[in-house]
Amino acid sequence: MSEPGSVAAIAAATSIDLRIPKTMRALVKARPEAGAELREVPVPHPGPGEVLIRLEAVSLCGTDLHIYRWDPWAQGRLGKYLPRIFGHEMAGRVVAHGPGTGAVPLGTRVAAETHLVDWTCYQCRTGREYVCANLRILGVDADGAFAEYMCLPERNAWPSEGLTPEIAAIQEPMGNAVFATFVEEITTASVAVLGCGPIGLMAVAICRFAGASRVFATDVMPHRRDMAARMGSDCVLDATGDVVAEIRRETGGTGVDVVLEMSGAEAAIHQAFEMTTNGGRVSLLGLPSRPVTIDLSDAIIFRGLRVYGITGRELWRTWYKTAALLREGLDVGPIITHRLPLSRYAEAFDLLAQGVAGKVVLLPQEA
Ligand SMILES: [Zn+2]
Ligand SMILES: [Zn+2]
């Protein structure tokens, strides 16, 4: 019999392997060009305040595609950090404690709050950590999760026992949808979700689950519209059509109470303001690639709209809400369309680039 609480006891109880190898496979952005390399690299040592995590599932995000393609944003943002292990939407088990940690027991499955904040600036001290003045992002400013192991500040680890690794991993983007949706009341509201990528699809499901009265969804791609219908939208529209007129007609001329703009497309941003009822609210989460010109007087001020910029997640209010939704039975599983071992990363990025996938998950422990 092993000592209670010992590494051997935890390993036996959780049937996880707490032996840590010297090296691991990791997907590394090594050179300032498109692509990435699967390399054998040292397993990192957890520093003060950090835990070591054996990764189980890592989902791909648009940010990862920017880095993989090495587009101008990635060049400007990551150029000085290469080589860098990227990836951030993760789940795995804590397998070692760095100095000063131990609050999250060994063997615990965790997800990551991917905003690495300083906890000390004005924003952090006033409950707005998601806009920390010294914000760093996992997998961008620090080595990330496309690997067999990674280090994470223990304060950023969100215990996720009871969830499968892939659902635990997508809590991070789901948190974006939760934050955007619940920034004001949603129950009984009519809602339009513009853009049905994974976060938009999650928003559709959340609105439906949380008792929105009508959930409209728009996208340019037919298979995404099909997914939106499956996730609970009761009116799905082709974003290239006159969606403002259709939504106004469907709402008896008033427009919707709430718009969740998830696409970042300039046309959709204009549609968002036009389809919102006077006195309604717009949550903007999609990132336009260029500056967008809005007539503030007519689009927002005279119509009394409330507009929210949404970034990240509230620590930890959003995570508690996300966990509650999942615990109470909200099923976001259908949004995950592909699961591949880490070695098949190139296929995974192709799927993402083609826009044919929902969430794509890489499994670092699968050969
Ligand atoms: Zn992400
Ligand atoms: Zn801060």
Side-chain angles (χ1 to χ4, degrees):
M1 277 269 291
S2 47
E3 276 297 296
S6 70
V7 165
I10 291 160
T14 57
S15 73
I16 64 158
D17 190 353
L18 290 168
R19 288 171 306 178
I20 298 156
K22 294 249 179 313
T23 64
M24 64 176 189
R25 291 172 307 133
L27 188 60
V28 182
K29 186 73 186 182
R31 285 190 289 268
E33 59 191 37
E37 293 170 30
L38 198 62
R39 286 186 174 180
E40 196 72 19
V41 301
V43 172
H45 288 288
E50 291 182 339
V51 292
L52 182 69
I53 294 167
R54 185 174 192 261
L55 289 152
E56 300 175 295
V58 191
S59 51
L60 271 62
C61 164
T63 304
D64 302 320
L65 186 60
H66 288 296
I67 295 170
Y68 188 75
R69 285 174 161 166
W70 203 239
D71 67 8
W73 175 84
Q75 291 166 28
R77 189 68 175 73
L78 249 92
K80 58 183 183 287
Y81 294 134
L82 303 188
R84 170 68 77 224
I85 300 168
F86 59 126
H88 56 275
E89 298 176 1
M90 58 69 72
R93 289 196 189 270
V94 174
V95 291
H97 287 135
T101 66
V104 182
L106 292 181
T108 307
R109 177 170 291 150
V110 297
E113 168 50 61
T114 58
H115 282 191
L116 309 175
V117 305
D118 64 5
W119 306 103
T120 57
C121 75
Y122 176 61
Q123 279 73 26
C124 286
R125 287 181 162 158
T126 51
R128 294 169 289 180
E129 295 89 346
Y130 57 97
V131 282
C132 172
N134 298 301
L135 180 66
R136 296 163 65 242
I137 305 281
L138 186 68
V140 175
D141 302 294
D143 274 339
F146 290 144
E148 292 177 274
Y149 293 85
M150 67 173 275
C151 289
L152 182 73
E154 189 179 45
R155 288 186 79 169
N156 284 67
W158 178 254
S160 301
E161 290 298 343
L163 299 179
T164 63
E166 59 191 39
I167 296 293
I170 66 168
Q171 289 177 102
E172 194 263 19
M174 183 176 166
N176 294 139
V178 168
F179 188 12
T181 304
F182 292 133
V183 69
E184 283 187 14
E185 190 177 9
I186 201 80
T187 308
T188 74
S190 54
V191 188
V193 178
L194 311 189
C196 295
I199 295 177
L201 292 172
M202 291 186 210
V204 166
I206 294 162
C207 290
R208 176 50 72 219
F209 196 80
S213 62
R214 304 246 8 228
V215 183
F216 298 90
T218 74
D219 201 282
V220 294
M221 291 174 138
H223 71 277
R224 287 185 165 184
R225 296 198 294 271
D226 292 346
M227 280 286 280
R230 237 174 297 150
M231 297 312 294
S233 170
D234 33 31
C235 181
V236 182
L237 300 167
D238 181 347
T240 60
D242 192 349
V243 296
V244 174
E246 290 196 56
I247 286 178
R248 286 209 168 265
R249 191 174 60 240
E250 288 282 334
T251 53
T254 52
V256 284
D257 298 311
V258 176
V259 173
L260 309 178
E261 206 306 295
M262 304 301 200
S263 73
E266 180 165 359
I269 292 168
H270 289 291
Q271 291 167 353
F273 296 117
E274 289 166 25
M275 68 174 67
T276 306
T277 199
N278 290 358
R281 67 114 161 169
V282 177
S283 288
L284 298 174
L285 184 126
L287 299 174
S289 54
R290 291 176 301 151
V292 173
T293 302
I294 304 282
D295 181 341
L296 288 176
S297 315
D298 287 341
I300 298 173
I301 299 169
F302 289 134
R303 303 190 46 237
L305 301 190
R306 294 174 310 291
V307 180
Y308 295 88
I310 303 292
T311 184
R313 294 145 299 276
E314 288 185 290
L315 309 188
W316 295 85
R317 194 176 294 125
T318 301
W319 286 86
Y320 281 107
K321 289 180 182 176
T322 303
L325 290 165
L326 294 171
R327 192 172 57 238
E328 294 308 315
L330 175 60
D331 183 10
V332 291
I335 293 166
I336 301 169
T337 54
H338 297 79
R339 297 154 183 85
L340 295 165
L342 181 61
S343 57
R344 288 169 65 187
Y345 65 89
E347 270 172 76
F349 280 106
D350 282 348
L351 285 163
L352 197 61
Q354 291 159 23
V356 294
K359 254 317 179 196
V360 180
V361 178
L362 290 174
L363 304 166
Q365 303 301 334
E366 276 188 24

